[in-house]
Amino acid sequence: MLLEVAPTPGEITDEGLRNDVSVGIQYLSSWLRGSGAVAIFNLMEDAATAEIARSQVWQWIRHGRFERDRVRAVIDDELERLREEFGDEVLAKSRADDARAIFEQVALGDELEEFLTLPAYDYLEAE
């Protein structure tokens, strides 16, 4: 029952997809820089929130609510929005490219990764 999307109340929206993508990438970016909790959209978020965001995106893809290409386009849009908000220099220091790669791995993969930070540890070891 937990894996069934159809009986879940509420709407699946493009706005919800954008929020999940942005929260997931912003959290992973902060996590890679050593923060376990971070303010995103005026809320204090942690790994649990990012885990929900990426799992929801994965589930929406799996159940045909969004195509992987649509999610990639939203990722592009969100990174551009962050670039406009914070500037190229800040975004480059934020490890946004690594966060994107991790998010794509855990949200767009064929199998649901056990936890979103597990593949992220490889990026910490590569420093």
Side-chain angles (χ1 to χ4, degrees):
M1 287 175 39
L2 292 175
L3 297 176
E4 292 183 34
V5 173
T8 304
E11 288 185 50
I12 297 171
T13 65
D14 196 64
E15 181 180 338
L17 174 63
R18 286 183 179 284
N19 184 76
D20 284 351
V21 165
S22 190
V23 167
I25 290 174
Q26 287 187 67
Y27 178 78
L28 284 166
S29 172
S30 294
W31 187 89
L32 289 168
R33 290 177 286 122
S35 296
V38 62
I40 302 173
F41 302 134
N42 296 316
L43 298 170
M44 201 60 167
E45 306 292 14
D46 60 12
T49 305
E51 180 64 33
I52 291 166
R54 75 87 184 200
S55 296
Q56 194 161 257
V57 171
W58 182 88
Q59 187 178 53
W60 288 340
I61 291 167
R62 184 151 183 106
H63 292 279
R65 302 298 177 112
F66 291 104
E67 298 292 326
R68 282 180 176 85
D69 287 342
R70 176 68 189 133
V71 176
R72 285 186 188 98
V74 169
I75 292 169
D76 289 342
D77 291 348
E78 286 304 304
L79 286 173
E80 182 57 32
R81 185 188 64 74
L82 292 170
R83 183 172 285 105
E84 289 172 6
E85 184 175 342
F86 297 110
D88 289 331
E89 187 175 324
V90 170
L91 201 64
K93 292 178 183 177
S94 75
R95 300 194 66 183
D97 290 337
D98 289 340
R100 176 196 186 127
I102 296 163
F103 187 81
E104 286 180 345
Q105 180 180 347
V106 299
L108 302 179
D110 290 331
E111 299 295 322
L112 183 64
E113 184 76 40
E114 189 173 343
F115 197 71
L116 87 153
T117 56
L118 293 178
Y121 281 105
D122 293 337
Y123 288 79
L124 294 179
E125 293 170 3
E127 288 183 10

